[in-house]
């Protein structure tokens, strides 16, 4: 067995590296042969030394951890190990919608209408859950994803669709705030008010979807 990182995870391979951290496919190990595939996201050590980056990284976990719905990716754990901040989340065996569309185009096909409707329906149910989420006292969290795009809609091999990556979501339980007028997300899918830098609500996610 390979060395465990973060105390309990065996990294299999790196999936991606971005501006803030790295993403790995790993196996969570436990007693009595327990094993579970997970996705690990870690904050680059050099960024942990800079003001604000830790809060931004932990914000994604803070927002997503309040959500419990079949059509939203699950967060299992957030922690710190040997000076590295990380979060462990559900591994979704499948492909994102961008990959599905690209494969269909390569084969000169269209995504079948009934399949497209099911994907949008599942994503809409996940977003609706996020938009209606409340804290322990019943206060609305006002979560808006703000980056709904094919890359952030995962379709599992069994057909279930899940919304992922709440990294730039707006929510009342975020520790950090993005600057007024800062453009976050992918322009091709943005609602007009988001492009103009105005305040966005749940309708912006619906527009993007």
């Amino acid at each position: 067995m390979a060395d465990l990182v973060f105390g309990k995870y065996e990294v299999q391979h790196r999936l991606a590296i971005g501006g803030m951290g790295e993403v790995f496919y790993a196996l969570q190990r436990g007693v009595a042969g327990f094993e579970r595939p997970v996705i690990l996201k870690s904050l680059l050590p050099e960024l942990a030394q800079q003001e604000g980056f830790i809060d931004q990284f932990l914000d994604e976990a803070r927002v997503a951890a309040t959500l419990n719905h079949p059509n939203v990716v699950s967060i299992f754990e957030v922690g710190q190990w040997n000076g590295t901040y990380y979060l462990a989340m559900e591994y979704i065996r499948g492909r994102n919608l961008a990959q599905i569309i690209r494969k269909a185009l390569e084969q000169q096909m269209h995504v079948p209408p009934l399949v497209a409707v099911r994907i949008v329906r599942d994503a809409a149910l996940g977003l609706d859950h996020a938009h209606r989420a409340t804290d322990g006292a019943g206060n609305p969290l006002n979560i808006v994803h703000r980056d709904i795009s094919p890359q952030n809609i995962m379709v599992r091999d069994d057909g279930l669709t899940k919304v992922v990556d709440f990294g730039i979501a707006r929510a009342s339980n975020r520790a950090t705030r993005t600057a007024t007028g800062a453009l976050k997300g992918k322009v091709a899918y943005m609602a007009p008010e988001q492009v103009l830098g105005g305040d966005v609500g749940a309708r912006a996610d619906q527009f993007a979807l």
Side-chain angles (χ1 to χ4, degrees):
M1 186 173 68
D3 292 338
L4 299 182
V5 298
F6 308 135
K8 67 185 76 171
Y9 302 104
E10 181 183 322
V11 172
Q12 303 299 297
H13 56 268
R14 186 169 68 185
L15 296 174
I17 182 169
M20 286 188 64
E22 297 176 285
V23 181
F24 301 91
Y25 170 71
L27 296 175
Q28 180 182 352
R29 302 292 191 182
V31 297
F34 172 83
E35 179 181 291
R36 175 170 64 178
V38 298
I39 295 297
L40 294 177
K41 294 181 73 172
S42 64
L43 179 65
L44 294 173
E46 56 267 31
L47 294 183
Q49 307 303 318
Q50 300 180 34
E51 184 179 357
F53 277 100
I54 293 176
D55 285 338
Q56 289 180 43
F57 181 79
L58 297 180
D59 263 340
E60 178 179 358
R62 185 177 293 108
V63 172
T66 63
L67 307 176
N68 181 17
H69 192 275
N71 301 119
V72 176
V73 64
S74 297
I75 300 294
F76 296 143
E77 180 183 22
V78 58
Q80 182 186 21
W81 186 78
N82 288 350
T84 299
Y85 286 86
Y86 72 93
L87 60 89
M89 66 183 69
E90 172 188 7
Y91 170 66
I92 302 172
R93 189 180 301 277
R95 294 170 175 81
N96 67 44
L97 185 53
Q99 293 170 322
I100 292 173
I101 293 172
R102 183 165 59 249
K103 188 68 173 180
L105 290 174
E106 289 173 356
Q107 298 179 352
Q108 297 185 327
M109 298 171 58
H110 294 290
V111 177
L114 289 179
V115 174
V117 168
R118 176 60 187 269
I119 291 172
V120 172
R121 170 191 176 273
D122 282 0
L125 289 173
L127 286 171
D128 182 67
H129 173 75
H131 296 156
R132 297 174 184 269
T134 58
D135 63 16
N139 301 308
L141 290 174
N142 301 311
I143 295 174
V144 183
H145 189 288
R146 298 199 305 171
D147 193 17
I148 293 300
S149 61
Q151 291 84 353
N152 289 331
I153 296 177
M154 289 290 299
V155 182
R156 223 164 56 180
D157 286 346
D158 64 2
L160 184 70
T161 295
K162 290 176 177 276
V163 178
V164 303
D165 198 354
F166 282 80
I168 66 167
R170 190 212 70 189
S172 56
N173 66 338
R174 287 185 70 104
T176 58
R177 301 285 181 183
T178 54
T180 301
L183 203 58
K184 299 287 185 177
K186 300 176 182 69
V187 175
Y189 301 95
M190 285 184 181
E193 64 270 26
Q194 190 172 357
V195 174
L196 294 173
D199 190 29
V200 297
R203 290 185 300 176
D205 286 345
Q206 294 167 351
F207 179 96
L209 187 60

